[in-house]
Amino acid sequence: MREYGSNIILPSLDNLFSSEQERQDAKLEKIQILPLSELHPFEGHPFQVRDDEEMDKMVDSVKEYGVMTPAIVRPRRDGGYEIVAGHRRCHASQRAGVDTMPCIVRELDDDTAIILMVDSNCQREHILPSEKAKAYQMKLEAIKRQGRRSDLTSSQVGTKLRADECVAQGSGESRNQVQRYIRLNNLTPDLMQLVDDGRLKTTPAVELSYLTPEEQEEFLSYMEEEGCTPSLSQAQKLKAASKESVLTKDKIHGIMSARSPSVKPREPQLTIAVSKVERYFPKGFTSDQMQNLIVKLLENYYRKRQDYER
């Protein structure tokens, strides 16, 4: 027989002596003012904190108004807190001579923290290709470990999303573009630096990433010696030669020096300002009419000179 009152749950003392508002507030995240000395960078953080013009503006803002948006941090096993979002705000506070910063403390596992860290930084305006490459790789691996494919769907019929599609959704870029950025992680540091500097375009750089590290170094030497960069077509030929294990120094030179037979060398141009010659033509003559008449006059001059030389 069921005992009367066996399912009654008594409220805790805290609930008895607290208001509904206080109980709701307890469920919300609290903003804490933490010393900068207790804040540590995210391990493997792929985004650089640069002392550029934008940082100077942030420092001025912190001096005048303080940090307006709290950083997101998580407790560290060794004490203190690891910054998940807010590295630039922390650096700006240090430069501004501020000792503390508002923070929201969250208990986050490693993969959730990585995803949040990448998403919060990818909204910035100026991000280097190398930063995107490392960040997208970190997020991709975190999503795979989480098994997020079982949670996310891309249509009403419940089609599972690929991990790289999940990365693309959070970045605002296409899945193919995300894959291209991730592929850049296979470049040697020197070639990656050329991409960051804008001296090597991203698309041919992706093709070069399929070369072995030794082949990349050999090609970098050629680029520096010749002062050139590859087109997409040339980079694709270099990749094909590498796949066939025939990418020697001579092969690199042959690919880079060859010209497409369908592309004619550009003819040198002769430019004459209309203001210099318009007084010699009837009023209302267009530049095309002037050009045609000049060519005809030169043809007549050439024929007369030929006759004279005979």
Side-chain angles (χ1 to χ4, degrees), residues 20-34:
E20 177 62 21
Q21 184 62 47
E22 288 173 332
R23 289 194 291 272
Q24 292 301 321
D25 287 345
K27 297 177 182 179
L28 300 176
E29 293 180 313
K30 295 289 193 302
I31 297 176
Q32 303 181 35
I33 305 301
L34 299 177

Side-chain angles (χ1 to χ4, degrees), residues 16 29 33 43 51 123 125 152 169 198 201 234 262:
L16 284 172
E29 293 180 313
I33 305 301
E43 185 176 354
D51 282 315
Q123 307 308 317
E125 186 176 354
L152 298 173
Q169 275 192 340
K201 293 182 179 179
Q234 290 170 328
S262 60

Side-chain angles (χ1 to χ4, degrees), residues 126-186:
H126 301 295
I127 305 176
L128 295 174
S130 62
E131 294 175 327
K132 284 189 177 184
K134 295 172 185 175
Y136 291 165
Q137 180 71 50
M138 291 177 70
K139 184 176 178 181
L140 180 70
E141 292 172 354
I143 289 175
K144 286 181 177 179
R145 286 192 296 267
Q146 279 191 335
R148 292 280 292 276
R149 288 181 60 181
S150 62
D151 302 329
L152 298 173
T153 57
S154 60
S155 70
Q156 293 179 349
V157 296
T159 305
K160 298 288 192 330
L161 279 181
R162 293 168 42 139
D164 52 4
E165 289 174 326
C166 297
V167 177
Q169 275 192 340
S171 66
E173 300 193 74
S174 69
R175 177 171 63 86
N176 289 339
Q177 188 67 6
V178 165
Q179 290 176 335
R180 283 192 284 269
Y181 275 115
I182 291 175
R183 184 67 214 179
L184 292 178
N185 288 305
N186 293 280

Side-chain angles (χ1 to χ4, degrees), residues 9-169:
I9 300 175
L10 295 175
S12 67
L13 290 175
D14 286 341
N15 282 342
L16 284 172
F17 295 100
S18 63
S19 66
E20 177 62 21
Q21 184 62 47
E22 288 173 332
R23 289 194 291 272
Q24 292 301 321
D25 287 345
K27 297 177 182 179
L28 300 176
E29 293 180 313
K30 295 289 193 302
I31 297 176
Q32 303 181 35
I33 305 301
L34 299 177
L36 299 186
S37 58
E38 293 188 17
L39 304 182
H40 303 271
F42 195 93
E43 185 176 354
H45 191 254
F47 299 97
Q48 299 177 22
V49 177
R50 293 183 285 274
D51 282 315
D52 51 17
E53 185 177 348
E54 288 184 6
M55 178 57 68
D56 293 339
K57 292 178 180 178
M58 184 178 289
V59 171
D60 292 339
S61 176
V62 171
K63 286 180 179 178
E64 186 170 357
Y65 305 108
V67 175
M68 305 299 290
T69 304
I72 298 176
V73 302
R74 64 172 183 162
R76 294 172 77 236
R77 295 185 185 91
D78 299 331
Y81 302 89
E82 183 178 47
I83 302 172
V84 178
H87 291 78
R88 297 176 75 248
R89 279 164 276 171
C90 182
H91 183 68
S93 298
Q94 290 171 337
R95 282 189 49 186
V98 179
D99 297 326
T100 61
M101 188 170 79
C103 300
I104 294 174
V105 180
R106 289 184 187 173
E107 293 287 346
L108 300 170
D109 61 64
D110 290 344
D111 292 330
T112 303
I114 287 172
I115 293 170
L116 178 57
M117 179 271 296
V118 172
D119 288 346
S120 64
N121 279 278
C122 278
Q123 307 308 317
R124 286 162 44 191
E125 186 176 354
H126 301 295
I127 305 176
L128 295 174
S130 62
E131 294 175 327
K132 284 189 177 184
K134 295 172 185 175
Y136 291 165
Q137 180 71 50
M138 291 177 70
K139 184 176 178 181
L140 180 70
E141 292 172 354
I143 289 175
K144 286 181 177 179
R145 286 192 296 267
Q146 279 191 335
R148 292 280 292 276
R149 288 181 60 181
S150 62
D151 302 329
L152 298 173
T153 57
S154 60
S155 70
Q156 293 179 349
V157 296
T159 305
K160 298 288 192 330
L161 279 181
R162 293 168 42 139
D164 52 4
E165 289 174 326
C166 297
V167 177
Q169 275 192 340

Side-chain angles (χ1 to χ4, degrees), residues 247-259:
L247 189 58
T248 62
K249 187 174 182 178
D250 289 340
K251 186 70 173 179
I252 291 173
H253 179 77
I255 291 173
M256 293 299 295
S257 60
R259 283 192 177 188

